[in-house]
Amino acid sequence: MTFFTCALIGNESLLIGCAEALLARGHQIRAVASQDPDIRSWADGKGLPLLDTQQQLQGGFDWLLSIANLTVIPDEVLALAAKGAVNFHDGPLPHYAGLNTPNWALINGETQHGVTWHLMTSGIDEGDLLARRLFDVAADETAFSLNSKCYAAAMDSFDEVMAQLETGELNRQPQ
């Protein structure tokens, strides 16, 4: 296993779970950009460099990880990562891109939903897929329960993503 450095951007509790997994495997988090008070408190408690915005990021890390981040990351920020940028998306790409995909799945009566980890490009949710998890949508599913399933699937698949970043052998699947 090759250790890597990373910067994290996001505003949901999923970021903490993924960050803990990164630290447990010996990877170095160079910065955390978040407005979420719980994430900020967690990062401060870990002694991690904390930024208010993604625009405050500076280079010096291998991978940029966007985890439960709802903002568009400009090309100049993506370019700061020496090896690339990876985004967690709470929908099965390419079928459900953009925001609120669990809600759209419910509105459209989907019986299956999923999550995707993908490489980031200039286009929103357009990069090659690295990992994907699909799961059933229950008949009585709510937005809250479906989001919970998305977070569980994200954590379940994050080890697969880390393994690819550790070896540099990306299992790229075009959309």
Side-chain angles (χ1 to χ4, degrees), residues 7 58-65 76-86:
Q58 298 180 2
F61 54 89
D62 298 318
W63 291 99
L64 176 63
L65 301 177
E76 55 272 10
V77 175
L78 293 176
L80 294 172
K83 295 184 178 181
V86 176

Side-chain angles (χ1 to χ4, degrees), residues 4-113:
F4 60 82
T5 59
C6 60
L8 308 178
I9 298 173
N11 285 300
E12 298 291 335
S13 60
L14 178 61
L15 183 142
I16 295 173
C18 292
E20 288 287 356
L22 287 162
L23 294 171
R25 284 172 80 146
H27 303 298
Q28 185 180 43
I29 299 172
R30 296 267 171 94
V32 176
S34 181
Q35 290 293 313
D36 183 278
D38 292 334
I39 293 171
R40 294 179 68 79
S41 176
W42 172 85
D44 186 53
K46 293 286 185 181
L48 298 172
L50 190 55
L51 306 175
D52 294 323
T53 68
Q54 61 191 4
Q55 286 77 12
Q56 293 174 309
L57 279 171
Q58 298 180 2
F61 54 89
D62 298 318
W63 291 99
L64 176 63
L65 301 177
S66 171
I67 302 170
N69 169 45
L70 300 179
T71 61
V72 174
I73 300 174
D75 289 345
E76 55 272 10
V77 175
L78 293 176
L80 294 172
K83 295 184 178 181
V86 176
N87 181 58
F88 164 72
H89 181 68
D90 61 353
L93 291 174
H95 188 63
Y96 276 103
L99 297 176
N100 304 311
T101 59
N103 293 341
W104 285 112
L106 292 174
I107 290 167
N108 293 331
E110 300 290 353
T111 58
Q112 193 173 62
H113 193 63

Side-chain angles (χ1 to χ4, degrees), residues 107-135:
I107 290 167
N108 293 331
E110 300 290 353
T111 58
Q112 193 173 62
H113 193 63
V115 300
T116 313
W117 292 93
H118 66 92
L119 293 171
M120 297 179 74
T121 64
S122 295
I124 297 172
D125 295 334
E126 292 181 352
D128 288 350
L129 309 180
L130 297 179
R132 185 177 186 179
R133 291 292 185 278
L134 299 174
F135 48 84

